[in-house]
Amino acid sequence: MRRAVCPGSFDPVTNGHVDIIARAARLFDEVVVAVGVNKGKSRARLFTSEERMAQLEEVCAAFPNVTVAGFEGLLTDFCVAHDVHAIVKGLRAVTDFDYELQMAQMNSSLADVDTVFVPCSPEYSFLASSLVKEVATFGGDVSGLVPPEVLGQLTARLAERAAEED
Ligand code: PNS
């Protein structure tokens, strides 16, 4: 049984993430989408871990071999606990590669796990959750960038945040 983890912070999940999850689901028998914490981004968090997991469960319902789980701490600890030896990461452009290579090498030094890099579809090469949030915050149209299940929640959460700031 070939099993892989697709990790990320998914705040929010974008169509680019779904593209990578779909590719992983074709390559592996089982895929666990692991919703974690990126310490570098945690201050700008929009959705709680539970909300992101619920969004991903809805979006991934289309893939029968994909499940969703949350994790805190090291990704490699999650991999060991779930007996997973492959991490799937999407590459949008060469600029992703330096950082992703460093993380892949660190992860494989911590546990018996390898990282498989999957190039994203070119139509998503500019897509990032942080940019989606910024564009949506200023009223830009992100309807083609996030799954329809997530769009309403994104708009509502940003409106709540804007009201809090007033
Ligand atoms: O979607 P992101 O924000 O790029 O996801 C990054 C994430 C959550 C996969 C990464 O930050 C991570 O693996 N965090 C868990 C902590 C960890 O294992 N850190 C060491 C990485 S070498």
Side-chain angles (χ1 to χ4, degrees), residues 46-132:
L46 196 59
F47 293 106
T48 65
S49 175
E50 290 72 24
E51 287 169 334
R52 286 176 277 143
M53 283 173 61
Q55 290 167 354
L56 279 156
E57 267 159 16
E58 212 179 336
V59 169
C60 294
F63 309 111
N65 59 338
V66 174
T67 54
V68 179
F71 75 101
E72 288 175 5
L74 288 176
L75 176 59
T76 47
D77 288 344
F78 179 90
C79 291
V80 170
H82 289 78
D83 194 24
V84 179
H85 300 276
I87 297 169
V88 174
K89 285 294 198 89
L91 291 181
R92 289 167 296 196
V94 72
T95 43
D96 281 341
F97 186 70
D98 271 354
Y99 182 54
E100 291 295 346
L101 178 66
Q102 195 180 12
M103 281 205 289
Q105 290 170 331
M106 175 61 87
N107 284 330
S108 84
S109 80
L110 293 171
D112 179 18
V113 62
D114 276 307
T115 299
V116 177
F117 292 121
V118 175
C120 78
S121 174
E123 68 194 283
Y124 301 125
S125 60
F126 63 94
L127 196 45
S129 296
S130 53
L131 279 181
V132 166

